[in-house]
Amino acid sequence: MTNKSTIRLRMSQADAHYAGNLVDGARMLALFGDVATELLIRQDGDEGLFVAYDSVEFTAPVYAGDYIEATGEIVNVGNTSRKMTFTAYKVIAPKPEAGETAAEVLAEPILVCRASGTCVVPKGKQRF
């Protein structure tokens, strides 16, 4: 069993919600939800439920075309609760000044969001 999970996803034009191809911050929370689901399946054999975020901090903008790497970790396991922390980094960004389809891997990933929250897996649903 692992208590850490990472996914990487490209933000598409469909993810752009605001002018200038800016992606809604809620998209990062959706990624964290997907990471949490995987962590719960690995931990308990069940998807569980996300109960609450304790904190959410958006630290940099995300745009259509950016590649985001979202990581989550279970930091505390209770009887039914699983406390988790999350980070999302921009790892690849478009480079339109170099051409319409140009992009670059960032030398230093940019932290775009961090959060912590709690998920619950009812006792009767825990298989491991």
Coordinates of all heavy atoms in Angstrom, one line a residue, residues 26-71:
A26 N -11.1 25.9 -9.3 CA -11.9 24.7 -8.9 C -11.4 23.5 -9.7 O -11.5 22.3 -9.2 CB -13.4 24.9 -9.2
R27 N -10.7 23.7 -10.8 CA -10.2 22.6 -11.6 C -9.1 21.9 -10.8 O -8.9 20.7 -10.9 CB -9.7 23.1 -13.0 CG -9.2 22.0 -13.9 CD -10.4 21.1 -14.3 NE -9.9 20.1 -15.3 CZ -9.8 18.8 -15.0 NH1 -10.1 18.4 -13.8 NH2 -9.3 18.0 -15.9
M28 N -8.3 22.6 -10.1 CA -7.2 22.0 -9.2 C -7.9 21.2 -8.1 O -7.4 20.1 -7.8 CB -6.3 23.1 -8.6 CG -5.5 24.0 -9.6 SD -4.6 23.1 -10.8 CE -5.6 23.2 -12.2
L29 N -9.0 21.7 -7.6 CA -9.6 20.9 -6.5 C -10.2 19.6 -7.1 O -10.2 18.6 -6.4 CB -10.7 21.7 -5.9 CG -10.3 23.0 -5.2 CD1 -11.4 23.7 -4.5 CD2 -9.1 22.7 -4.2
A30 N -10.7 19.6 -8.4 CA -11.2 18.4 -9.0 C -10.0 17.4 -9.2 O -10.2 16.2 -9.0 CB -11.8 18.7 -10.4
L31 N -8.8 17.9 -9.5 CA -7.7 17.0 -9.6 C -7.3 16.4 -8.3 O -7.0 15.2 -8.2 CB -6.4 17.8 -10.2 CG -6.5 18.2 -11.6 CD1 -5.2 19.0 -12.0 CD2 -6.7 17.0 -12.5
F32 N -7.4 17.2 -7.2 CA -7.1 16.7 -5.9 C -8.2 15.7 -5.5 O -7.8 14.7 -4.8 CB -7.1 17.9 -4.8 CG -6.0 18.9 -5.0 CD1 -6.1 20.1 -4.4 CD2 -4.8 18.6 -5.7 CE1 -5.1 21.0 -4.5 CE2 -3.8 19.5 -5.8 CZ -3.9 20.7 -5.2
G33 N -9.4 15.8 -5.9 CA -10.4 14.8 -5.7 C -10.1 13.5 -6.3 O -10.3 12.5 -5.7
D34 N -9.6 13.6 -7.6 CA -9.2 12.4 -8.3 C -8.0 11.7 -7.5 O -8.0 10.4 -7.4 CB -8.8 12.7 -9.7 CG -10.0 13.0 -10.6 OD1 -11.2 12.7 -10.2 OD2 -9.8 13.6 -11.6
V35 N -7.1 12.5 -7.1 CA -5.9 11.9 -6.4 C -6.4 11.3 -5.1 O -6.0 10.1 -4.7 CB -4.9 13.0 -6.1 CG1 -3.8 12.5 -5.1 CG2 -4.2 13.4 -7.4
A36 N -7.3 11.9 -4.3 CA -7.9 11.4 -3.1 C -8.6 10.1 -3.3 O -8.4 9.1 -2.5 CB -8.8 12.4 -2.5
T37 N -9.3 10.0 -4.4 CA -10.1 8.8 -4.7 C -9.1 7.6 -4.9 O -9.3 6.5 -4.4 CB -10.9 9.0 -6.0 OG1 -11.9 10.0 -5.7 CG2 -11.6 7.7 -6.4
E38 N -8.0 7.8 -5.7 CA -7.0 6.8 -5.8 C -6.4 6.4 -4.5 O -6.2 5.2 -4.2 CB -5.9 7.2 -6.8 CG -4.9 6.1 -7.0 CD -3.8 6.5 -8.0 OE1 -4.0 7.3 -8.9 OE2 -2.7 5.8 -7.8
L39 N -6.0 7.4 -3.7 CA -5.4 7.1 -2.4 C -6.4 6.2 -1.5 O -5.9 5.3 -0.9 CB -5.1 8.3 -1.7 CG -3.9 9.1 -2.2 CD1 -3.8 10.5 -1.6 CD2 -2.6 8.3 -1.9
L40 N -7.7 6.5 -1.5 CA -8.6 5.8 -0.7 C -8.8 4.4 -1.3 O -8.9 3.4 -0.5 CB -10.0 6.5 -0.7 CG -10.0 7.8 0.1 CD1 -11.3 8.5 -0.1 CD2 -9.6 7.7 1.5
I41 N -8.8 4.2 -2.6 CA -8.9 2.9 -3.1 C -7.7 2.0 -2.7 O -7.9 0.9 -2.4 CB -9.1 2.9 -4.7 CG1 -10.5 3.5 -5.0 CG2 -8.9 1.6 -5.3 CD1 -10.6 3.9 -6.5
R42 N -6.5 2.6 -2.8 CA -5.3 1.9 -2.4 C -5.3 1.6 -0.9 O -4.9 0.5 -0.5 CB -4.1 2.7 -2.8 CG -3.8 2.8 -4.3 CD -2.6 3.6 -4.6 NE -2.4 3.7 -6.0 CZ -1.8 2.8 -6.8 NH1 -1.4 1.7 -6.2 NH2 -1.6 3.0 -8.1
Q43 N -5.8 2.5 -0.1 CA -5.8 2.4 1.4 C -6.9 1.4 1.8 O -6.6 0.6 2.7 CB -6.0 3.7 2.0 CG -6.2 3.7 3.5 CD -5.0 3.5 4.3 OE1 -3.9 3.9 3.9 NE2 -5.1 2.9 5.5
D44 N -8.1 1.6 1.3 CA -9.3 0.9 1.8 C -10.0 0.0 0.9 O -11.0 -0.6 1.3 CB -10.2 1.9 2.4 CG -9.6 2.7 3.6 OD1 -9.4 2.0 4.6 OD2 -9.4 3.9 3.5
G45 N -9.7 0.1 -0.4 CA -10.5 -0.7 -1.4 C -11.9 -0.1 -1.7 O -12.8 -0.7 -2.2
D46 N -12.0 1.2 -1.4 CA -13.3 1.9 -1.6 C -13.0 3.4 -1.9 O -12.0 3.9 -1.4 CB -14.2 1.8 -0.4 CG -15.6 2.3 -0.6 OD1 -16.4 1.5 -1.1 OD2 -15.8 3.5 -0.4
E47 N -13.8 4.0 -2.7 CA -13.6 5.4 -3.1 C -13.8 6.4 -2.0 O -13.3 7.5 -2.0 CB -14.6 5.8 -4.2 CG -14.2 5.1 -5.5 CD -15.1 5.6 -6.7 OE1 -16.0 6.5 -6.5 OE2 -15.0 5.0 -7.8
G48 N -14.6 6.0 -1.0 CA -14.9 6.9 0.2 C -15.5 8.2 -0.3 O -16.0 8.3 -1.4
L49 N -15.5 9.2 0.6 CA -16.2 10.5 0.4 C -15.2 11.6 0.9 O -14.7 11.5 2.0 CB -17.5 10.6 1.2 CG -18.5 9.5 0.8 CD1 -19.6 9.5 1.9 CD2 -19.1 9.8 -0.6
F50 N -15.1 12.6 0.1 CA -14.4 13.8 0.5 C -15.3 14.6 1.4 O -16.4 15.1 1.0 CB -14.0 14.6 -0.7 CG -12.6 15.3 -0.5 CD1 -11.6 15.1 -1.4 CD2 -12.5 16.3 0.5 CE1 -10.4 15.7 -1.2 CE2 -11.3 16.9 0.7 CZ -10.2 16.7 -0.2
V51 N -14.9 14.9 2.6 CA -15.8 15.6 3.6 C -15.6 17.1 3.6 O -16.5 17.8 3.5 CB -15.6 15.0 5.0 CG1 -16.4 15.8 6.0 CG2 -15.9 13.5 5.1
A52 N -14.3 17.5 3.6 CA -14.0 18.9 3.7 C -12.6 19.2 3.4 O -11.7 18.4 3.7 CB -14.3 19.4 5.1
Y53 N -12.3 20.4 2.9 CA -11.0 21.0 2.8 C -10.8 21.8 4.1 O -11.6 22.6 4.5 CB -10.8 21.9 1.6 CG -10.6 21.1 0.3 CD1 -11.7 20.9 -0.6 CD2 -9.4 20.6 0.0 CE1 -11.5 20.2 -1.8 CE2 -9.2 19.8 -1.2 CZ -10.3 19.7 -2.0 OH -10.1 18.9 -3.2
D54 N -9.6 21.7 4.7 CA -9.2 22.5 5.8 C -8.6 23.8 5.3 O -8.8 24.9 6.0 CB -8.2 21.8 6.7 CG -8.7 20.4 7.2 OD1 -9.9 20.3 7.6 OD2 -7.9 19.5 7.1
S55 N -7.9 23.7 4.2 CA -7.3 24.9 3.7 C -7.0 24.7 2.2 O -6.8 23.6 1.7 CB -5.9 25.2 4.4 OG -5.0 24.2 4.0
V56 N -7.1 25.8 1.5 CA -6.8 25.8 0.0 C -6.1 27.1 -0.3 O -6.6 28.2 0.2 CB -8.1 25.8 -0.8 CG1 -7.8 25.9 -2.3 CG2 -8.9 24.5 -0.6
E57 N -5.0 27.1 -1.0 CA -4.2 28.3 -1.3 C -3.8 28.2 -2.8 O -3.1 27.3 -3.2 CB -3.0 28.4 -0.4 CG -2.2 29.6 -0.7 CD -0.9 29.7 0.1 OE1 -0.6 28.7 0.9 OE2 -0.2 30.7 0.0
F58 N -4.3 29.1 -3.6 CA -3.9 29.3 -5.0 C -2.7 30.2 -5.0 O -2.8 31.3 -4.5 CB -5.1 29.8 -5.8 CG -6.3 28.9 -5.8 CD1 -7.4 29.2 -5.0 CD2 -6.3 27.7 -6.5 CE1 -8.5 28.4 -4.9 CE2 -7.4 26.9 -6.4 CZ -8.5 27.2 -5.7
T59 N -1.6 29.7 -5.6 CA -0.4 30.5 -5.6 C 0.1 31.0 -6.9 O 1.0 31.8 -6.9 CB 0.7 29.6 -4.9 OG1 0.8 28.4 -5.7 CG2 0.4 29.2 -3.5
A60 N -0.4 30.5 -8.0 CA 0.0 31.0 -9.3 C -1.1 30.6 -10.3 O -1.9 29.7 -10.1 CB 1.3 30.3 -9.8
P61 N -1.3 31.4 -11.4 CA -2.3 31.1 -12.4 C -2.0 29.9 -13.2 O -0.9 29.5 -13.4 CB -2.3 32.4 -13.3 CG -1.0 33.0 -13.1 CD -0.5 32.6 -11.7
V62 N -3.1 29.3 -13.7 CA -3.0 28.1 -14.6 C -3.8 28.5 -15.9 O -4.9 29.1 -15.8 CB -3.6 26.9 -13.9 CG1 -3.7 25.7 -14.9 CG2 -2.9 26.5 -12.7
Y63 N -3.2 28.2 -17.0 CA -3.8 28.5 -18.3 C -4.0 27.2 -19.1 O -3.3 26.2 -18.9 CB -2.9 29.5 -19.1 CG -2.6 30.7 -18.3 CD1 -1.5 30.9 -17.6 CD2 -3.5 31.8 -18.4 CE1 -1.3 32.1 -16.9 CE2 -3.3 33.0 -17.7 CZ -2.2 33.1 -17.0 OH -2.0 34.3 -16.3
A64 N -4.9 27.3 -20.1 CA -5.1 26.2 -21.1 C -3.7 26.0 -21.7 O -3.0 26.9 -22.0 CB -6.1 26.6 -22.1
G65 N -3.4 24.7 -21.8 CA -2.1 24.3 -22.4 C -1.1 23.9 -21.4 O -0.1 23.2 -21.7
D66 N -1.3 24.4 -20.1 CA -0.3 24.0 -19.0 C -0.5 22.5 -18.7 O -1.6 22.0 -18.7 CB -0.6 24.8 -17.8 CG -0.2 26.3 -17.9 OD1 0.5 26.6 -18.8 OD2 -0.7 27.1 -17.0
Y67 N 0.6 21.9 -18.3 CA 0.6 20.6 -17.8 C 0.7 20.7 -16.2 O 1.6 21.4 -15.8 CB 1.7 19.7 -18.3 CG 1.5 19.1 -19.6 CD1 1.6 19.9 -20.8 CD2 1.2 17.8 -19.8 CE1 1.4 19.3 -22.0 CE2 0.9 17.2 -21.0 CZ 1.0 18.0 -22.1 OH 0.8 17.5 -23.4
I68 N -0.2 20.1 -15.5 CA -0.3 20.2 -14.1 C 0.0 18.8 -13.5 O -0.6 17.8 -13.9 CB -1.7 20.7 -13.6 CG1 -1.9 22.1 -14.2 CG2 -1.7 20.7 -12.1 CD1 -1.0 23.2 -13.8
E69 N 0.9 18.8 -12.5 CA 1.1 17.5 -11.8 C 0.6 17.7 -10.4 O 1.0 18.6 -9.6 CB 2.6 17.3 -11.7 CG 3.0 16.0 -11.1 CD 4.5 15.7 -11.2 OE1 4.9 15.3 -12.3 OE2 5.2 16.1 -10.2
A70 N -0.4 16.9 -10.0 CA -1.1 17.0 -8.7 C -0.7 15.8 -7.9 O -0.8 14.6 -8.4 CB -2.6 17.0 -8.9
T71 N -0.3 16.0 -6.7 CA 0.1 15.0 -5.8 C -0.6 15.1 -4.5 O -0.9 16.2 -4.0 CB 1.6 15.1 -5.5 OG1 2.4 15.0 -6.7 CG2 2.1 14.0 -4.5

